[in-house]
Amino acid sequence: MREISRPLEVIDELLEPFSACLSVPGALPPREWREKAHFLRTLKLEDEDNFQDIPCLNETDTWLDVPSQSLVRYRCMVQDVLEPEVYPLFLQSTGALVTMKYREALPTGSHAKPLSTLETGNWATRGIYLCVPLPGESSWAIPRRGPNGASECGPGTSAPNTVGCSCLVKLYDVDEESLKVCETVEVLGVFHMGAGAPRLHGLHVRKLPFFHPMLPYSPRWLSEGRLLCTFQRRFSGFAVRSLRDLAIQILQEPLGGDQLAAEYVLALLVARVYGNDGSRALGRWSLNLSHWQEGSVDLLVRALAKLHPRVLHLPVTPETLKQRRWTPQKDFDANRLRSGLLQLAPGTLLVFDETQMDTGPLDAAGLRAVQGIRGLASEQMLLVDFFNYEVQVPLEVNCLFISRGVSIFKAADLVLPLSPTRSSVLPKQEDVESLDGLRFLLGLIQHRTQPLRLQQIMAVFSHDFARLRDEFREMDLGQQTLHVWVALARAFCFTHGEEEMTVERWQSVATIERERCRRWKEFGLKA
């Protein structure tokens, strides 16, 4: 289709009916001439499944193979919001009307001049965003074109991907100021491969919070009703139990056979803090697996990356805290935001690896790093350093701290001392179909943002909390523990395929919490 191979020709043809403006002094065409609506209608993008038919920059091995000035998709994270760019909206070229909208330069050999001066309103602005591929993507989560040209999420290896190309995204009209730092979006637009950074002039933007490659849809399309219908159609009770058992097995192996730890890690994988619109609080919690004795954390990270689309392993030592840039910093000389390790896409799982942590002094940069990690884990806020002040950017990520003692950050809501039952061994090879089914199941659960129904258990919930608080007074269990319990119970129910917490299911949650508290006391930890 010409809309894909030569979109600028189509845009110019849609503008052609307004060429009569050339003969009227001071007259200008409209700034929008329904060009965006034409592409959405012609490519049938009201059905979001059809986005998969458009070439995607994320699915190509090299962008040099992508035809310049073709229509593409680009899935990315907004790394920086740059100053808007002023450009002449319309030009006259050999008697024809030409637009610089969606263009980097005029066609070769064209001799055009601005249609009018600044005073007559021919100048416009476009928003400029520096965008990058989603950090920490697991290899299986990066789609590739299959033999028939279709987009496929292959199982592949599970090691997190750290390679990708940045792109300057230019947006117009209502989209011009629509994006924020750390948002996950997919931009449909005209691709320009210049001498510098690649550029993409956006015709349409989809926001994709908590993006999952097997559910590549916007929240408007992926409604709670669709999610529930998909869940019920795809997974029977037996299938959910089998896949849940597989998840526990995968996680249990690198944890030395500790099933309790595997249960908590699985719950963390599907945890949500807010609804997609940010208005509904679902419960915030983070986890510290303390008393790690299993050698390298790499095996656990690989197991997590098998199941989760974005996992980032961050070693924490005095040197890394002092020498690496953890939070973004504003470079006023270049007028750019310098990215930090914690600048991530929503839904990323962070593994803070403190197993090589030694004692040692921290300088100002190290202390800022500690503050940034604590703020992200406890408040779901990314601190952006503007030198004289800090700006907080909401960022929903899940944080897992691995430490030999208790985490130095003391930011985790739940501390679980590990109790391995045997040495770690590599897990057995899982079949591709089961693994893909498990990934899809976990993706569905993480996309669901409705609260758990607790009406059946409110009385026993309060009774169990009071009893546990009396039994483990040294843990200083308070109001925050109640909120964590609700979030934990929600994840526990949903991974069992249940919509409402029953008394029987709550007893299972209370049992694992009691065992966690017992270990806490046994290891002599202090609140």
Side-chain angles (χ1 to χ4, degrees):
M1 295 181 68
R2 286 199 313 140
E3 279 77 7
I4 292 177
S5 61
R6 298 190 298 278
L8 291 176
E9 286 185 11
V10 176
I11 289 169
D12 286 341
E13 289 173 4
L14 293 170
L15 181 61
E16 190 174 349
F18 298 96
S19 294
C21 294
L22 294 174
S23 60
V24 181
L28 286 173
R31 291 177 173 244
E32 296 182 66
W33 52 97
R34 297 192 60 77
E35 72 278 12
K36 296 181 180 181
H38 169 85
F39 279 83
L40 293 178
R41 182 180 65 255
T42 304
L43 299 173
K44 300 179 181 179
L45 298 181
E46 297 84 0
D47 182 345
E48 291 197 10
D49 278 324
N50 292 329
F51 276 91
Q52 309 308 310
D53 297 330
I54 298 170
C56 182
L57 293 180
N58 306 83
E59 299 171 13
T60 58
D61 293 325
T62 171
W63 290 12
L64 294 175
D65 295 338
V66 180
S68 192
Q69 300 185 9
S70 63
L71 190 76
V72 299
R73 292 180 293 127
Y74 178 46
R75 186 179 62 256
C76 54
M77 180 191 79
V78 179
Q79 184 170 291
D80 195 7
V81 180
L82 307 180
E83 292 293 328
E85 182 177 85
V86 178
Y87 71 101
L89 187 53
F90 301 111
L91 298 97
Q92 184 176 357
S93 176
T94 59
L97 189 63
V98 179
T99 181
M100 286 299 293
K101 196 176 183 182
Y102 314 112
R103 277 190 166 93
E104 281 295 309
L106 285 169
T108 304
S110 176
H111 301 285
K113 60 181 180 179
L115 190 60
S116 60
T117 62
L118 177 64
E119 287 73 24
T120 55
N122 185 38
W123 296 87
T125 58
R126 46 194 173 199
I128 312 292
Y129 301 87
L130 178 62
C131 297
V132 297
L134 306 188
E137 281 195 302
S138 303
S139 295
W140 66 266
I142 304 174
R144 287 287 181 260
R145 290 281 160 180
N148 61 354
S151 179
E152 298 177 346
C153 266
T157 59
S158 55
N161 172 59
T162 57
V163 179
C165 189
S166 62
C167 183
L168 283 178
V169 172
K170 303 190 177 186
L171 299 181
Y172 301 86
D173 308 320
V174 295
D175 294 327
E176 181 180 338
E177 299 179 358
S178 63
L179 304 187
K180 300 175 183 177
V181 168
C182 291
E183 279 191 309
T184 303
V185 298
E186 184 175 74
V187 181
L188 172 72
V190 182
F191 177 70
H192 295 264
M193 190 68 189
R199 288 160 170 79
L200 184 62
H201 290 253
L203 278 158
H204 181 70
V205 177
R206 288 197 301 166
K207 295 191 176 184
L208 302 173
F210 271 68
F211 173 77
H212 192 286
M214 293 179 171
L215 296 161
Y217 308 107
S218 66
R220 178 192 64 81
W221 178 262
L222 202 63
S223 64
E224 284 289 337
R226 266 200 176 103
L227 285 167
L228 184 58
C229 286
T230 302
F231 191 98
Q232 293 172 342
R233 186 174 64 249
R234 177 79 180 265
F235 299 107
S236 66
F238 175 76
V240 171
R241 287 192 297 273
S242 298
L243 292 174
R244 193 182 193 282
D245 289 344
L246 175 60
I248 293 298
Q249 171 201 322
I250 291 172
L251 295 171
Q252 198 173 350
E253 292 287 349
L255 293 169
D258 191 333
Q259 184 173 353
L260 184 66
E263 289 283 357
Y264 277 92
V265 173
L266 177 60
L268 186 67
L269 283 177
V270 298
R272 288 295 301 266
V273 180
Y274 301 107
N276 288 324
D277 60 359
S279 62
R280 178 190 295 158
L282 299 172
R284 184 206 75 235
W285 66 287
S286 53
L287 177 64
N288 175 199
L289 296 180
S290 68
H291 298 79
W292 179 267
Q293 304 171 18
E294 297 301 304
S296 172
V297 178
D298 288 344
L299 286 180
L300 176 59
V301 173
R302 290 176 195 165
L304 294 168
K306 279 186 178 181
L307 307 181
H308 201 68
R310 289 178 303 285
V311 180
L312 201 63
H313 180 198
L314 296 174
V316 178
T317 66
E319 289 71 29
T320 60
L321 289 173
K322 291 185 289 187
Q323 296 172 8
R324 306 187 73 178
R325 186 167 58 238
W326 291 80
T327 58
Q329 293 179 350
K330 182 69 174 181
D331 182 339
F332 286 96
D333 292 331
N335 197 24
R336 295 290 172 88
L337 196 64
R338 302 300 181 191
S339 65
L341 295 173
L342 301 180
Q343 189 176 0
L344 301 165
T348 302
L349 175 66
L350 277 79
V351 181
F352 294 101
D353 179 359
E354 303 175 44
T355 59
Q356 304 303 314
M357 190 70 187
D358 291 324
T359 58
L362 293 179
D363 57 11
L367 293 174
R368 280 197 304 270
V370 171
Q371 180 187 10
I373 294 170
R374 283 176 175 164
L376 189 59
S378 61
E379 302 297 333
Q380 297 287 289
M381 288 291 179
L382 173 67
L383 300 181
V384 181
D385 184 4
F386 280 76
F387 291 98
N388 292 327
Y389 62 97
E390 289 179 329
V391 173
Q392 293 185 330
V393 176
L395 178 58
E396 185 177 345
V397 294
N398 296 333
C399 295
L400 175 62
F401 297 87
I402 310 291
S403 56
R404 296 198 179 277
V406 175
S407 169
I408 65 165
F409 299 103
K410 301 189 184 302
D413 299 283
L414 296 180
V415 178
L416 173 61
L418 288 166
S419 181
T421 58
R422 55 175 172 73
S423 299
S424 296
V425 294
L426 286 172
K428 297 178 182 178
Q429 186 69 32
E430 304 83 13
D431 68 272
V432 172
E433 185 177 356
S434 296
L435 201 51
D436 279 347
L438 176 54
R439 291 163 178 163
F440 188 65
L441 173 64
L442 297 180
L444 279 174
I445 294 171
Q446 196 176 46
H447 270 76
R448 303 199 63 188
T449 58
Q450 85 280 14
L452 179 68
R453 298 199 297 269
L454 297 168
Q455 289 84 348
Q456 289 190 39
I457 63 136
M458 290 309 298
V460 68
F461 185 89
S462 301
H463 176 266
D464 285 350
F465 175 72
R467 189 172 62 178
L468 204 65
R469 184 175 55 187
D470 289 341
E471 185 176 347
F472 299 97
R473 290 184 177 275
E474 62 276 14
M475 294 186 68
D476 193 24
L477 302 176
Q479 190 70 24
Q480 177 59 21
T481 304
L482 283 174
H483 296 306
V484 171
W485 275 13
V486 172
L488 185 63
R490 180 179 183 275
F492 208 75
C493 269
F494 284 4
T495 57
H496 280 90
E498 298 165 353
E499 297 289 313
E500 184 171 8
M501 176 64 77
T502 62
V503 173
E504 293 76 17
R505 185 63 66 201
W506 167 248
Q507 293 302 330
S508 300
V509 178
T511 297
I512 67 169
E513 264 294 89
R514 181 177 299 279
E515 174 59 18
R516 183 185 70 85
C517 293
R518 187 197 63 76
R519 286 192 193 179
W520 199 94
K521 186 174 183 179
E522 177 186 323
F523 278 77
L525 304 184
K526 299 183 182 299

